[in-house]
Amino acid sequence: MAQKILIIGGVAGGATAATRLRRLNEDDNIILFEKGEYISFANCGLPYHIGGEIKERDSLLLQTVEGMEQQYALDIRNFSEVTTIDPINNILSVLNHQTGETYTETFDKLIISTGAKAITPAIPGIETAENVFSLRNIPDMDLIKEYITKHAIQTVTVIGGGFIGLEMMENLKELDLDVQLVEMAPQVMPNIDVEMAQQLHTQINMHGVNLLLNDGLKEFKENGKKLLLTSGTVLDTDMTILSIGVTPENTLAKESGIELGFKNAIKVNEQLQTNYPAIFAIGDVIEVKDVVDGSPTNIPLAWPANRQGRLVADIINGIPAHYPGTQGTSVAKIFELTAASTGNSERMLKNKGIDFQVIHVHPNSHAGYYPGASPIHLKLLFGNDGKILGAQGVGTKGVDKRIDVIATAMKFGATADQLAEIELAYAPPYSSAKDPVNMLGYTADNMMNDKIRTFQWHEVDALLDQGAFFLDIREDFERATGSLPKGTFIPLNQLRNRLAELPKDKTIYVYCQVGQRGYNAARILMHHGFDVKNLDGGYKTYKIATYALKNKPFKKVSKEQPIEATQTCPLTTIEVDACGLQCPGPILKVKEQMDQMSNGQQMIVKASDFGFSADIEAWAKSTGNTVLKNEIKGDKVVATLSKGNLLQNTASLPQDGVMKETKEGATMVVFSGDMDKALASMIIASGAAAMGKNVTIFFTFWGLSVLKKQKMKKRGMAKLFDIMLPNNADSLPISSMNMGGAGAKMMKTVMKQKNVDPLPVMIEKASNLGVKFIACTMSMDIMGIDKEELFDFVEYGGVAAYLGDSEESNLNLFI
């Protein structure tokens, strides 16, 4: 017998249910109501269209009303809002937003798939702020794109660090906007634990996003142009995106007397029925069972909604089916990183009072000897009986694959140690003979069979305060990247010969860089009767977990990058590929190469481990070397180093440059008209400006040639000077081996081959960075140089103008 089945809401759950219902029964009358225009769209893709990654708007429209009606013989009514449900008489009321008509429909079965709505708290000032948006659907997306385009937005603030907030942050940054993200919790992405989230915090800072944690939005001021935070901090913003989270869209259910449960989500049984047998509910609006412990929860994700949509159609058609619960398996992209998880986090397990053990490992995504390998940071949580309770992963490659494998194992009841038994596909470009999932299993097996005892990163500081005995078994060069403030240092290869230096009346807390050598050291010590624990995940996990945010003020200047100091180094630049090396391999390779380099020589090193960015800064500082540049290119860290400390090594500066320490800022006198000295001055000035210094360059006598953009006809003495002086900045000689201009041509040829900008372009870029160019008017007068000959941005003045700025500088050069 044919049924009349009504569905409230489309997108993932409702649209899936409608099409499955039709495939199971050709006779049923199926009506789908959607209060908006779009019945099936990729809401997960909305941020990526805003950022331009998804070019075509229509790509997000998975199904049209006409297409679904024709293919599935459905009655689809968009712009139709269900306003009331009578669960006793099986009647609902509908408002057609296009015609204003209200009518009723009866049903045999009803499926509620109203989803979730964005949380928009009553923040003071929000009523008058026209620059505040949230993102849940296509119209929201259109409004955000339009506002950015029409209002020349430069600074955007995202409130909330969940999935949508992080995706919006990344895509707004892709638009070359200044982005600041405010999150009330101590971390972004609440489904993973803080030490895993810290890797995301590092990456976010590396991309120039300012991240404000443990803070919330208190008030909109000045019509939304300023934000007052709970800490008292005031932020300037051109636009604000509210991404505080979502809550079940339960209004209809609540007003109809349908029973609500966790977080006021609709309470359903395993057949997805509400307390009224003819009414079912699916998707983000319902309470589900947490598969880890059976507790009620609400998990707004696409996979559960789609699965429930299929199952509810089966159940209505009499096919035995049930929804057992949700693991919460999820994945997200944060710039170059992938973050994924399944099951419960450590924080959730502690809140539930569930005992658990933890493993952190940092293996490569595939065989390290095959190009392109990068580290994966994996965390496994399991019970004392071996039951897998959750897993998390962060990295650039292969993270989703490993979490999916663990989620599958978890679904079918495998224990943590059985992960070692899973036979996974192996070839060097894809994995290692011992896959990272297998490594988790081997480690779990050791822990479950008392082959090792571990302690966690968050226990370290308390143990240090208590005077615990720490043993660092790393090599000496590794310690330059950081170490614990107290402890004994014995490299692993010396350990057996130095056992007498260790106490047998204390627990020895051993650590290495990532935990693997620490395990080997612990086994040695255990065989010799020592009480020992190994730092799970090694010093690397502790260092990541204790990362301190590095926010910088936004500068409203050109986004052009400063000129690199590597461009004029007279020594050969060494290139080092440290990609795919397991920690501490990258630092070791840098050290070995640096030992062979000359003072002032430079190195460009690439690494696939984003943690290398912090490691190389710490190593250089500890060893007296200089990091000139440290950036992300693609999915690699690319660092440029100079051997020695440039601030103390005057040989690395132009020979006739004299540096003087004063107050703050940077000033420079350019007396020379030589191309190489002019290049040096632009590099130093651009670098100083990029570091936030107020830079002034005073050009006098021969240095005025640097500012020339064109040649003009002159008479008298001015013409004689004009004959002797270069025509423009691109015609300068070099100071040594000019050889009638041949040397300068050679220099320019090499610069072009090395993609080094010509001097006039360097000058323009320095101006865009905010460098102030002052031409000495007295020198111009003496040498017959007119203002029209010089760049348009040049200012004019005497020595007083220069001295005024030099009084406020701590870098003063004469070139």
Side-chain angles (χ1 to χ4, degrees):
M1 179 174 151
Q3 301 184 87
K4 184 178 182 180
I5 305 170
L6 307 185
I7 304 171
I8 306 174
V11 197
T16 298
T19 55
R20 176 68 171 173
L21 283 166
R22 177 56 72 221
R23 286 193 293 267
L24 294 175
N25 191 309
E26 274 290 307
D27 299 323
D28 286 342
N29 180 15
I30 304 167
I31 306 174
L32 188 151
F33 301 97
E34 171 58 53
K35 68 179 180 180
E37 179 180 0
Y38 305 100
I39 52 143
S40 182
F41 61 90
N43 49 5
C44 297
L46 301 179
Y48 298 100
H49 180 58
I50 292 173
E53 185 69 21
I54 297 174
K55 304 297 183 185
E56 299 298 327
R57 180 179 182 274
D58 288 349
S59 300
L60 301 172
L61 305 178
L62 305 180
Q63 286 278 10
T64 64
V65 172
E66 295 78 12
M68 280 190 70
E69 284 185 330
Q70 291 173 7
Q71 184 174 353
Y72 295 101
L74 302 172
D75 182 355
I76 299 177
R77 305 177 188 178
N78 58 346
F79 299 109
S80 298
E81 180 179 2
V82 176
T83 55
T84 63
I85 301 172
D86 180 350
I88 304 298
N89 298 301
N90 288 8
I91 301 173
L92 52 78
S93 299
V94 185
L95 169 63
N96 185 317
H97 284 288
Q98 289 181 311
T99 66
E101 173 195 3
T102 298
Y103 62 95
T104 62
E105 288 283 358
T106 60
F107 59 85
D108 296 311
K109 296 290 191 297
L110 173 65
I111 302 172
I112 301 174
S113 181
T114 47
K117 59 184 177 182
I119 297 173
T120 308
I123 301 170
I126 194 171
E127 304 85 359
T128 58
E130 297 180 355
N131 60 346
V132 180
F133 301 86
S134 60
L135 180 64
R136 287 293 296 169
N137 51 41
I138 296 284
D140 291 343
M141 177 190 74
D142 292 339
L143 287 172
I144 291 171
K145 282 181 66 68
E146 180 183 25
Y147 194 86
I148 291 172
T149 302
K150 285 187 175 181
H151 293 81
I153 299 301
Q154 180 165 334
T155 302
V156 184
T157 306
V158 178
I159 308 296
F163 288 102
I164 298 298
L166 291 172
E167 289 166 357
M168 281 302 302
M169 169 205 72
E170 177 180 351
N171 282 280
L172 291 166
K173 194 64 185 176
E174 287 296 319
L175 296 176
D176 208 22
L177 301 177
D178 291 331
V179 182
Q180 47 202 6
L181 190 149
V182 179
E183 169 55 55
M184 190 176 293
Q187 66 173 85
V188 300
M189 193 162 284
N191 55 299
I192 64 176
D193 289 310
V194 65
E195 77 277 18
M196 305 296 285
Q198 282 279 54
Q199 298 168 75
L200 309 184
H201 301 162
T202 305
Q203 202 77 357
I204 289 167
N205 271 173
M206 288 173 73
H207 279 272
V209 175
N210 282 348
L211 183 57
L212 296 94
L213 301 174
N214 292 302
D215 214 342
L217 177 57
K218 183 178 181 180
E219 185 178 352
F220 290 98
K221 290 183 170 293
E222 297 183 16
N223 295 323
K225 291 296 184 181
K226 291 186 180 295
L227 306 177
L228 174 63
L229 306 186
T230 53
S231 64
T233 300
V234 177
L235 301 178
D236 293 323
T237 189
D238 299 321
M239 182 181 187
T240 299
I241 307 293
L242 292 180
S243 184
I244 298 172
V246 296
T247 187
E249 179 52 276
N250 63 4
T251 305
L252 268 175
K254 185 176 182 180
E255 292 176 352
S256 305
I258 294 173
E259 186 178 356
L260 305 180
F262 185 84
K263 286 189 175 179
N264 287 318
I266 297 175
K267 193 175 183 66
V268 296
N269 60 22
E270 288 195 349
Q271 278 67 47
L272 301 166
Q273 283 176 304
T274 68
N275 54 316
Y276 293 96
I279 301 178
F280 300 77
I282 58 175
D284 296 354
V285 74
I286 70 169
E287 170 190 292
V288 294
K289 185 189 297 182
D290 185 333
V291 298
V292 170
D293 66 337
S295 62
T297 186
N298 172 250
I299 301 178
L301 292 171
W303 186 91
N306 277 284
R307 178 63 178 159
Q308 293 155 16
R310 179 184 175 92
L311 290 177
V312 74
D314 289 354
I315 292 164
I316 288 173
N317 279 275
I319 299 172
H322 71 286
Y323 186 73
T326 302
Q327 283 180 218
T329 307
S330 63
V331 64
K333 176 181 177 295
I334 298 89
F335 294 112
E336 297 78 14
L337 292 179
T338 297
S341 69
T342 189
N344 283 189
S345 65
E346 182 172 341
R347 183 184 63 259
M348 292 171 66
L349 293 172
K350 286 179 178 178
N351 290 340
K352 294 176 178 180
I354 298 175
D355 291 334
F356 61 90
Q357 298 189 63
V358 182
I359 297 171
H360 293 87
V361 296
H362 306 277
N364 269 336
S365 56
H366 61 247
Y369 57 83
Y370 186 88
S374 60
I376 300 176
H377 309 284
L378 288 174
K379 178 177 184 177
L380 183 71
L381 298 149
F382 61 99
N384 295 328
D385 58 356
K387 178 183 177 181
I388 301 173
L389 304 174
Q392 301 161 32
V394 176
T396 57
K397 299 176 182 177
V399 172
D400 53 339
K401 170 183 173 180
R402 272 64 188 210
I403 294 299
D404 283 345
V405 169
I406 298 170
T408 304
M410 184 177 171
K411 172 69 176 177
F412 295 109
T415 54
D417 56 320
Q418 288 175 329
L419 294 176
E421 302 175 22
I422 299 177
E423 186 176 344
L424 299 170
Y426 161 62
Y430 303 104
S431 183
S432 301
K434 293 179 183 178
D435 189 86
V437 172
N438 299 140
M439 294 305 298
L440 289 170
Y442 288 126
T443 306
D445 178 71
N446 286 333
M447 294 172 66
M448 293 169 65
N449 290 287
D450 299 324
K451 296 293 190 298
I452 188 67
R453 292 190 301 152
T454 62
F455 66 106
Q456 293 299 315
W457 67 269
H458 54 77
E459 301 176 84
V460 169
D461 290 344
L463 288 168
L464 288 170
D465 291 342
Q466 296 164 14
F469 188 92
F470 277 82
L471 175 61
D472 183 351
I473 55 89
R474 298 175 297 167
E475 297 299 320
D476 186 59
F477 71 89
E478 295 177 75
R479 301 176 73 224
T481 67
S483 60
L484 300 179
K486 303 174 185 176
T488 298
F489 168 58
I490 302 177
L492 177 61
N493 58 8
Q494 301 176 24
L495 184 60
R496 287 185 176 89
N497 298 323
R498 298 176 61 180
L499 294 176
E501 299 176 34
L502 304 176
K504 284 203 170 182
D505 59 343
K506 293 182 179 180
T507 300
I508 297 174
Y509 294 90
V510 66
Y511 70 96
C512 67
Q513 198 69 7
V514 295
Q516 187 172 356
R517 286 172 294 162
Y519 166 71
N520 293 334
R523 292 302 301 166
I524 293 171
L525 295 173
M526 291 171 70
H527 282 303
H528 287 84
F530 290 92
D531 182 33
V532 59
K533 289 185 177 182
N534 181 36
L535 177 58
D536 176 47
Y539 180 76
K540 183 171 187 174
T541 299
Y542 174 82
K543 184 176 180 180
I544 290 170
T546 53
Y547 170 76
L549 292 176
K550 299 174 182 177
N551 295 330
K552 298 179 181 178
F554 297 134
K555 292 182 67 176
K556 295 184 182 294
V557 296
S558 168
K559 304 294 183 182
E560 293 284 352
Q561 293 296 318
I563 307 302
E564 297 180 39
T566 57
Q567 296 171 342
T568 58
C569 181
L571 300 171
T572 303
T573 298
I574 305 299
E575 295 189 4
V576 174
D577 186 355
C579 295
L581 296 181
Q582 287 277 32
C583 191
I587 290 295
L588 174 59
K589 199 164 186 178
V590 169
K591 177 190 180 297
E592 290 173 344
Q593 190 62 60
M594 193 69 80
D595 288 345
Q596 303 174 35
M597 291 167 57
S598 303
N599 205 42
Q601 192 171 8
Q602 294 173 7
M603 172 196 299
I604 298 175
V605 56
K606 297 179 181 179
S608 51
D609 181 358
F610 286 112
F612 179 77
S613 177
D615 286 349
I616 196 63
E617 295 278 359
W619 181 86
K621 184 177 180 180
S622 298
T623 56
N625 296 296
T626 305
V627 176
L628 301 173
K629 198 160 189 179
N630 190 357
E631 60 184 349
I632 298 172
K633 290 186 177 179
D635 58 355
K636 304 290 189 294
V637 173
V638 181
T640 304
L641 298 89
S642 176
K643 183 167 183 176
N645 190 331
L646 288 185
L647 296 179
Q648 298 174 357
N649 178 19
T650 56
S652 65
L653 299 172
Q655 290 301 308
D656 50 355
V658 180
M659 185 166 69
K660 175 185 175 185
E661 291 294 331
T662 52
K663 295 181 181 177
E664 58 184 30
T667 53
M668 196 180 302
V669 175
V670 176
F671 179 81
S672 171
D674 294 330
M675 180 177 69
D676 45 343
K677 295 172 184 176
L679 287 169
S681 67
M682 289 306 108
I683 291 167
I684 297 168
S686 297
M691 293 175 62
K693 290 181 177 291
N694 296 317
V695 182
T696 298
I697 313 181
F698 186 73
F699 294 82
T700 184
F701 287 99
W702 318 119
L704 288 167
S705 298
V706 178
L707 298 180
K708 283 188 174 183
K709 67 175 181 178
Q710 62 184 354
K711 183 177 178 65
M712 297 182 64
K713 292 183 178 180
K714 299 183 180 181
R715 296 179 180 178
M717 191 66 70
K719 184 174 182 178
L720 293 176
F721 270 111
D722 199 43
I723 293 171
M724 293 185 289
L725 293 173
N727 293 333
N728 52 52
D730 203 34
S731 304
L732 302 182
I734 59 174
S735 59
S736 300
M737 298 184 297
N738 189 49
M739 298 177 291
K745 290 180 180 178
M746 291 169 57
M747 172 84 73
K748 290 178 185 178
T749 300
V750 175
M751 287 171 63
K752 186 174 182 180
Q753 291 173 348
K754 301 296 182 181
N755 292 319
V756 178
D757 289 329
L759 179 58
V761 176
M762 286 189 179
I763 294 169
E764 293 274 6
K765 287 186 175 182
S767 174
N768 291 336
L769 282 168
V771 174
K772 184 194 295 185
F773 290 79
I774 300 178
C776 176
T777 52
M778 181 196 71
S779 299
M780 290 175 65
D781 188 45
I782 291 173
M783 302 173 72
I785 295 176
D786 297 325
K787 292 182 179 181
E788 288 75 15
E789 293 181 71
L790 309 184
F791 288 102
D792 295 336
F793 49 76
V794 172
E795 300 178 27
Y796 303 92
V799 69
Y802 163 74
L803 292 175
D805 286 343
S806 70
E807 282 294 315
E808 301 301 324
S809 72
N810 65 2
L811 177 65
N812 192 12
L813 298 177
F814 185 88
I815 296 177

